Amino acid sequence: MENTIKLIAPAKVNLFLAVGEKTGDYHPVINVMHTLVLHDVLYMTYSPAHKTKISIDMLQGEDPDISIPDVKLEDNLVYKAINSIAKVSHKNFDIKVILEKNIPHQAGLGGGSSDAAAALIGAAKIFNYDEDKLFGFAANLGSDVPFFLNGGCALYKGRGEVFNHKIQPINRDIVLVKPQGENGLSTKSVYKTFDDMNIASSLDSPFTYDEKDHKTSLSAISKELTIADNIPLFNNLAPASEKLMPELAEIKEFMAGKVGEDKVLLCGSGAATFAYDDDAEKYKSQGWWACETSLANVKIRPREV
C-alpha cells in the first residue's frame, strides 16, 4: 500500500550575515536567517519494500524562469538526506520523491538546504525516526540545513550550523531580485574572493572580531539581535559577490533608489537581492527576475495527502 506525504520547504533570507577571517577550515559567522512564504514542495510517496530504493523527479514550479538544477541522484541533497535516515533504520521502503522547484538555485535563498531539511523530516516520518535526533544529520548535509528544521527566525554561529537563539519573527512584504537567466554564484567562489579581498579585516562592520577569542566577540553581538524587525540589514559578503557579478551592484543601487539603502540586502552569497517592498514590476521592467513574497514564521511539517 502506498502513502504520500507533502512537505513545504521555505526559502530564506539572511537579515544579518557577518563573516570573520578564516580560522582553520571555516569562516566564523554571525548569521540571522528568516524563512519566507516562497517555497519548494516535496511529495514523498512510499511503500514497504525488501530493500530501500529512492528516486527523485524534479519538476518546474509555476515560474517558467526557475530552472531545474542538473544534479546526479547521488549528489542530490534530498537523496542524501533520505539515505542518511534509511541507513540507521531497520525498515525498508520504496520512496518516490516529486520535488517542485519554485526557489531559484545559486541565489542565496537556501533552496537546496531547505529541500534537504524537508526530506529529513519526511524520512523521519516514513521510517518512524525521532525527529529530535535530526540535527546531526542536518549539520552533515550543509551549514544552513539545521536552521530549516525549526524555521522562523534564528541566529546561528560557528560555520553557520551552531544554533544560538531564536529571534522573534515578523510578517513583512519583500521583493526578491536577481539577474535573469541561470547564472548564479557558488558559495565556494564567493568565499575565495572574500578572502582574496581581505574583507574581514578591511570592511567597516557593526562589530569587530577579536583575533584571540572569537567566542567572546560572537557572544557579545549575539545578545543584541533578538527581534527581527529591529535587526540592521548587514552582509559583508556583498563586495565579493559584486566583484564576481558586477550586475549585483547595479541591482542594489537601483533597489536602494526605490526603497532606501537600509532596506536592501544581498541574500547570503547571492545572486538574489531582497528589499522591503511589495511591487516586483518595477524591477522586472529592468530585465531582471523578480518575485514578490514575504517574511513569515514558516516551519516544515509533514502532511498526509
Side-chain angles (χ1 to χ4, degrees):
M1 178 180 177
E2 286 191 340
N3 295 283
T4 301
I5 55 176
K6 177 182 178 180
L7 303 106
I8 299 300
K12 61 82 181 169
V13 292
N14 305 76
L15 300 181
F16 191 99
L17 178 56
V19 181
E21 292 185 76
K22 190 173 184 179
T23 57
D25 294 332
Y26 73 93
H27 298 77
V29 302
I30 298 171
N31 190 8
V32 176
M33 292 175 280
H34 201 304
T35 49
L36 304 180
V37 170
L38 176 66
H39 61 270
D40 289 342
V41 182
L42 280 79
Y43 294 93
M44 300 176 69
T45 298
Y46 60 100
S47 58
H50 294 296
K51 183 179 180 181
T52 292
K53 180 181 178 182
I54 305 165
S55 64
I56 302 172
D57 188 10
M58 290 196 287
L59 306 178
Q60 194 171 48
E62 297 179 0
D63 188 340
D65 292 326
I66 302 301
S67 60
I68 303 300
D70 183 15
V71 57
K72 295 180 180 178
L73 177 66
E74 295 77 11
D75 296 330
N76 192 309
L77 285 178
V78 169
Y79 173 87
K80 290 182 177 181
I82 299 170
N83 196 43
S84 65
I85 303 302
K87 285 182 177 180
V88 298
S89 174
H90 299 294
K91 301 177 181 179
N92 291 291
F93 292 93
D94 182 5
I95 302 173
K96 301 173 182 176
V97 180
I98 295 177
L99 173 54
E100 180 184 295
K101 292 296 297 179
N102 298 298
I103 305 171
H105 63 286
Q106 289 193 327
L109 297 171
S113 296
S114 187
D115 294 342
L120 281 175
I121 292 171
K125 172 78 171 177
I126 293 169
F127 288 97
N128 195 27
Y129 189 81
D130 188 351
E131 194 173 315
D132 292 335
K133 297 180 179 179
L134 294 179
F135 182 85
F137 296 102
N140 287 333
L141 290 168
S143 299
D144 291 348
V145 181
F147 164 72
F148 287 106
L149 291 179
N150 293 310
C153 185
L155 185 146
Y156 281 75
K157 301 191 298 185
R159 58 183 172 86
E161 88 291 4
V162 179
F163 173 77
N164 183 259
H165 65 266
K166 291 182 179 180
I167 291 175
Q168 184 177 323
I170 56 175
N171 294 310
R172 188 168 183 177
D173 291 332
I174 69 167
V175 172
L176 299 169
V177 180
K178 76 175 194 68
Q180 193 64 262
E182 298 184 14
N183 292 333
L185 287 172
S186 73
T187 302
K188 183 177 180 179
S189 64
V190 172
Y191 271 91
K192 182 181 184 304
T193 303
F194 177 88
D195 291 336
D196 292 343
M197 295 175 69
N198 199 27
I199 292 172
S201 61
S202 64
L203 187 69
D204 287 339
S205 166
F207 72 98
T208 301
Y209 274 92
D210 183 340
E211 292 183 1
K212 296 180 180 179
D213 188 356
H214 291 289
K215 292 183 179 179
T216 300
S217 300
L218 289 168
S219 176
I221 189 66
S222 296
K223 294 177 182 178
E224 300 176 12
L225 305 176
T226 58
I227 303 173
D229 210 25
N230 296 339
I231 293 175
L233 300 184
F234 179 80
N235 183 352
N236 67 342
L237 280 181
S241 299
E242 290 169 1
K243 183 174 183 179
L244 290 171
M245 188 176 286
E247 190 175 2
L248 295 181
E250 299 174 24
I251 290 174
K252 180 179 70 176
E253 183 178 0
F254 184 85
M255 296 178 81
K258 298 298 181 182
V259 300
E261 188 176 355
D262 62 336
K263 295 181 176 64
V264 177
L265 192 68
L266 183 74
C267 302
S269 57
T273 301
F274 82 91
Y276 289 133
D277 197 357
D278 60 3
D279 177 24
E281 292 305 317
K282 55 180 170 285
Y283 307 112
K284 290 181 180 179
S285 68
Q286 299 299 306
W288 297 315
W289 176 87
C291 170
E292 296 166 8
T293 185
S294 61
L295 299 172
N297 185 14
V298 183
K299 186 174 176 65
I300 301 170
R301 284 284 181 258
R303 182 170 65 88
E304 297 281 352
V305 295

